[in-house]
Amino acid sequence: MGFSFNLGTPINTVLFAYILYSVQHILFPTVSRPKTIPHEFKSGYSWMPKSHPPTVLFKTYSPKTLEPFNGNDGGRILLAINGIVFDVTAGRNFYGPNGMYGNFAGRDASRGMAKQSFDLGMRSRVPAEDISIVLTSVPLEMLTPVDQPIDKLEDLKQDEV
């Protein structure tokens, strides 16, 4: 029971030639230089973007200072979630004025994102003297009003956060 090598059959001859051809190209690959340099590399190759995005410095935002960054003027779009401010300008299609999440732009969207709700609610439209009605019958706003502090989400359950 030994190994026999028979090139007498055509299939063995073809397979042997293919194996030799493959091994030759693996061990001795052909190196060809391009005749012309691609035009995008003529000025040098760089991974740097054409323009650097503006650097955002550490800043503490309140709902009032966050409000101008809603993208209505074509500027930057910021939104806050759970105390962290995100620059979502690159996603203008989603977070811009006509986007699906446009109502979150320039706002503290913590509650809306946690509850997965776009409901604007009516609490800010109810007079202050009707506070008992507000707390019992009117749904809570999903966006923090600009004249109030950032929402700490203290009334949400753990599975809602």
Side-chain angles (χ1 to χ4, degrees):
M1 184 131 321
F3 177 73
S4 68
F5 186 70
N6 183 7
L7 288 178
T9 61
I11 189 75
N12 286 348
T13 306
V14 171
L15 287 175
F16 183 68
Y18 177 73
I19 290 170
L20 284 179
Y21 178 78
S22 298
V23 168
Q24 177 194 3
H25 280 283
I26 291 171
L27 296 177
F28 307 107
T30 56
V31 179
S32 62
R33 297 187 182 264
K35 293 178 179 40
T36 60
I37 296 174
H39 68 282
E40 59 266 0
F41 300 120
K42 285 186 179 174
S43 62
Y45 187 73
S46 173
W47 284 99
M48 296 296 292
K50 292 182 182 183
S51 65
H52 194 276
T55 303
V56 180
L57 300 176
F58 178 79
K59 183 175 179 181
T60 302
Y61 288 94
S62 68
K64 189 78 167 165
T65 59
L66 197 61
E67 187 180 24
F69 299 101
N70 58 12
N72 285 337
D73 58 353
R76 288 177 44 210
I77 302 172
L78 303 179
L79 67 90
I81 300 173
N82 204 17
I84 300 172
V85 177
F86 296 94
D87 185 348
V88 293
T89 307
R92 185 173 297 279
N93 292 341
F94 289 105
Y95 299 101
N98 297 323
M100 295 185 314
Y101 298 99
N103 58 334
F104 292 147
R107 303 290 298 270
D108 175 22
S110 302
R111 184 171 299 276
M113 289 292 194
K115 304 279 274 176
Q116 293 295 305
S117 173
F118 297 94
D119 184 25
L120 297 178
M122 295 179 55
R123 284 196 180 192
S124 63
R125 296 181 220 138
V126 176
E129 58 270 4
D130 296 334
I131 194 68
S132 62
I133 297 171
V134 171
L135 295 177
T136 57
S137 63
V138 180
L140 183 65
E141 279 192 16
M142 292 298 127
L143 299 172
T144 303
V146 294
D147 58 341
Q148 294 183 8
I150 290 181
D151 191 0
K152 301 285 187 207
L153 305 176
E154 293 169 342
D155 60 328
L156 294 180
K157 299 177 197 131
Q158 187 59 33
D159 63 333
E160 293 177 315
V161 176

